[in-house]
Coordinates of all heavy atoms in Angstrom, one line a residue:
V303 N 75.8 31.0 125.8 CA 74.5 31.4 126.2 C 73.5 30.3 126.3 O 72.7 30.2 127.2 CB 74.0 32.6 125.3 CG1 72.6 33.0 125.6 CG2 74.9 33.7 125.3
M304 N 73.5 29.4 125.3 CA 72.6 28.2 125.3 C 73.0 27.3 126.4 O 72.1 26.8 127.1 CB 72.7 27.5 124.0 CG 72.1 28.2 122.8 SD 70.3 28.4 122.9 CE 69.8 26.7 122.9
I305 N 74.3 27.1 126.7 CA 74.7 26.2 127.8 C 74.2 26.8 129.1 O 73.6 26.1 129.9 CB 76.2 26.0 127.7 CG1 76.7 25.3 126.5 CG2 76.7 25.3 129.0 CD1 78.1 25.4 126.2
A306 N 74.5 28.1 129.3 CA 74.1 28.7 130.6 C 72.6 28.7 130.8 O 72.1 28.5 131.9 CB 74.6 30.1 130.6
S307 N 71.8 28.8 129.7 CA 70.4 28.8 129.8 C 69.8 27.4 130.2 O 68.8 27.3 130.8 CB 69.7 29.3 128.5 OG 69.9 28.3 127.5
R308 N 70.5 26.4 129.8 CA 70.1 25.0 130.2 C 70.5 24.7 131.6 O 69.9 23.7 132.2 CB 70.7 24.0 129.2 CG 70.1 24.1 127.8 CD 70.8 23.1 126.9 NE 70.3 23.4 125.6 CZ 71.0 23.0 124.5 NH1 72.2 22.5 124.6 NH2 70.5 23.3 123.3
V309 N 71.5 25.3 132.1 CA 71.9 25.1 133.5 C 71.2 26.1 134.4 O 71.7 27.3 134.5 CB 73.5 25.2 133.6 CG1 73.9 25.0 135.1 CG2 74.1 24.2 132.7
S310 N 70.2 25.7 135.1 CA 69.4 26.7 135.8 C 69.6 26.5 137.3 O 69.9 25.4 137.8 CB 67.9 26.6 135.5 OG 67.5 25.4 135.8
R311 N 69.5 27.6 138.0 CA 69.5 27.6 139.5 C 68.2 27.2 140.0 O 67.1 27.4 139.4 CB 69.9 28.9 140.0 CG 71.3 29.3 139.7 CD 71.7 30.7 140.3 NE 73.0 31.0 140.1 CZ 74.0 30.7 140.8 NH1 73.8 29.9 141.9 NH2 75.3 31.0 140.6
A312 N 68.1 26.7 141.2 CA 66.9 26.4 141.9 C 66.1 27.7 142.1 O 66.8 28.8 142.4 CB 67.1 25.7 143.2
P313 N 64.8 27.7 142.1 CA 64.1 28.9 142.3 C 64.3 29.5 143.7 O 64.5 28.7 144.7 CB 62.6 28.5 142.1 CG 62.6 27.0 142.2 CD 63.9 26.6 141.8
A314 N 64.3 30.8 143.8 CA 64.6 31.4 145.1 C 63.4 31.2 146.0 O 62.2 31.2 145.6 CB 64.9 32.9 144.9
A315 N 63.6 31.2 147.3 CA 62.5 31.0 148.3 C 61.6 32.2 148.3 O 60.4 32.0 148.6 CB 63.1 30.7 149.7
D316 N 62.1 33.4 148.0 CA 61.2 34.5 148.1 C 60.6 34.9 146.8 O 60.3 36.1 146.5 CB 62.0 35.7 148.7 CG 63.3 36.0 147.9 OD1 64.1 35.1 147.7 OD2 63.4 37.1 147.4
A317 N 60.5 34.0 145.9 CA 59.9 34.3 144.6 C 58.4 34.6 144.8 O 57.8 34.1 145.7 CB 60.0 33.0 143.6
P318 N 57.9 35.5 144.0 CA 56.5 35.9 144.2 C 55.6 34.7 143.9 O 55.8 33.8 143.1 CB 56.2 37.0 143.1 CG 57.3 36.8 142.1 CD 58.5 36.2 142.8
N319 N 54.5 34.7 144.7 CA 53.5 33.6 144.6 C 52.6 33.8 143.3 O 51.8 34.8 143.3 CB 52.6 33.6 145.8 CG 51.7 32.4 145.9 OD1 51.7 31.6 144.9 ND2 51.0 32.2 147.0

Side-chain angles (χ1 to χ4, degrees):
V303 176
M304 289 296 295
I305 295 167
S307 70
R308 291 179 185 154
V309 179
S310 60
R311 294 182 176 273
D316 57 303
N319 188 354

